[in-house]
Amino acid sequence: MEDLALYGVTGWPLGQSLSPLLHNTGFQALRLPAAYARWEVPPEKLPAFVESVRLLHIRGCSVTIPHKVALTPLLDAVSPLARQVGAVNTLYWQDDALCGHNTDVAGFLAPLAGLPLDRGDALLLGAGGAARAVAAGLTGLPQDKRPRRIYVATPSNRSHLPLAQTFGLTPLPWEERHSVPALLVVNTTPLGMCGKAGTATPYDFAQAPLPHCQQDDFFDGTAAQATPLAYDLVYNPLETRFLREARLAGRRGISGLEMFYGQGDAQFRLWTGRALPPQARQALDAALKVKEIPCV
């Protein structure tokens, strides 16, 4: 019998992480001899945890707040993408080296694949770690696939400036965020999350103009693929106020569950060489008590 490969997720606190459900369902459906655990590790014990990963040869680990940045100097190697984002969300082994990678970028881009983002501008709300993954994803697209211009705004009118400089984004005063006719609006703030201003939203779609391409080449026979988009990285609740109001304004909404599943699928592929099976997504939907989750 093969030895059981051990994986897991670490953070502080972990709360109601859906990662164990996602990966354990994947292992079971594919009959892989593996298990995925939860490890709540306070910041001061992170170095000891990394040593435990080495000693026990834990095969892979998902990493969430507040460890994504602090892990970097404790590893043997960090991928160029993770270094660019400034955060590690995945541990894996390459030969005898314990390495760090960031799959949040792939997770963010997954539901946008094939969409004509180059027809308009993008507006990024927020400048935290998730926003860095979004910025790296959008600016890393081929020139003919990326948005024409990427704006970024934060309520402080200060915290987004380093992000804009690092990734070549256009900083925008918060009070002017509705003046941009963006094809893609992305919420990376916690506004709308259960337990964190759950009824709030960082954007009023009723005040926002339609994208420029809505008025010219938008309806050229591919309009179904080029609908204005609203992407909320929050996935609990599934339909936030941000997404609900975007839908009422005629936009197609993308839930944060798409990014969560996409980054988990990228981790699973890195660890096993296999994609997550359909049962993993079905388990997520059931856990959130959702009969049908619209996908872009």
Side-chain angles (χ1 to χ4, degrees):
M1 179 180 292
E2 292 184 66
D3 292 336
L4 188 71
L6 186 58
Y7 299 84
V9 57
T10 185
W12 183 262
L14 282 179
Q16 301 298 317
S17 173
L18 293 175
S19 293
L21 173 67
L22 181 72
H23 291 289
N24 280 323
T25 302
F27 293 144
Q28 293 166 12
L30 295 175
R31 299 178 182 269
L32 298 177
Y36 188 101
R38 292 161 47 93
W39 297 305
E40 287 194 318
V41 177
E44 65 273 15
K45 293 187 177 180
L46 186 61
F49 172 75
V50 174
E51 287 306 308
S52 297
V53 171
R54 296 179 184 277
L55 180 64
L56 300 174
H57 201 70
I58 292 169
R59 300 287 290 276
C61 187
S62 306
V63 182
T64 187
I65 56 175
H67 302 328
K68 289 186 176 185
V69 175
L71 260 176
T72 301
L74 303 175
L75 304 177
D76 300 325
V78 175
S79 70
L81 181 60
R83 199 167 295 281
Q84 180 189 29
V85 176
V88 164
N89 82 324
T90 308
L91 299 186
Y92 69 101
W93 289 92
Q94 188 167 37
D95 297 324
D96 293 327
L98 182 59
C99 306
H101 186 49
N102 190 298
T103 65
D104 285 334
V105 175
F108 169 73
L109 291 176
L112 298 175
L115 298 179
L117 301 180
D118 59 299
R119 294 194 180 185
D121 299 331
L123 172 61
L124 177 55
L125 303 170
R132 292 185 65 87
V134 171
L138 291 177
T139 58
L141 291 171
Q143 188 67 45
D144 61 343
K145 302 293 184 182
R146 73 181 64 164
R148 296 172 183 173
R149 180 175 294 184
I150 305 171
Y151 295 91
V152 59
T154 54
S156 70
N157 280 329
R158 294 187 306 274
S159 60
H160 63 301
L161 298 179
L163 181 70
Q165 184 174 19
T166 298
F167 291 95
L169 313 184
T170 301
L172 188 71
W174 185 252
E175 58 274 13
E176 295 180 17
R177 66 193 185 282
H178 297 114
S179 65
V180 175
L183 173 63
L184 171 66
V185 181
V186 185
N187 174 35
T188 74
T189 78
L191 293 179
M193 183 185 299
C194 285
K196 293 187 177 181
T199 61
T201 178
Y203 198 74
D204 184 355
F205 288 95
Q207 295 187 44
L210 291 173
H212 290 313
C213 52
Q214 183 84 352
Q215 303 161 14
D216 42 62
D217 63 344
F218 215 45
F219 293 106
D220 63 353
T222 59
Q225 299 179 14
T227 305
L229 303 168
Y231 196 152
D232 198 339
L233 302 196
V234 172
Y235 65 84
N236 188 16
L238 192 67
E239 184 178 67
T240 58
R241 177 182 168 187
F242 176 86
L243 288 181
R244 184 169 58 254
E245 293 181 354
R247 175 170 49 81
L248 293 174
R251 288 179 176 262
R252 178 181 296 182
I254 305 176
S255 165
L257 188 63
E258 303 299 333
M259 178 173 175
F260 176 76
Y261 183 82
Q263 62 83 30
D265 180 59
Q267 290 179 331
F268 200 83
R269 290 170 185 266
L270 182 62
W271 295 332
T272 70
R274 312 263 308 261
L276 278 171
Q279 294 93 325
R281 180 54 187 261
Q282 292 164 7
L284 277 186
D285 294 352
L288 291 173
K289 298 181 180 178
V290 176
K291 293 182 180 179
E292 180 180 356
I293 297 176
C295 299
V296 174

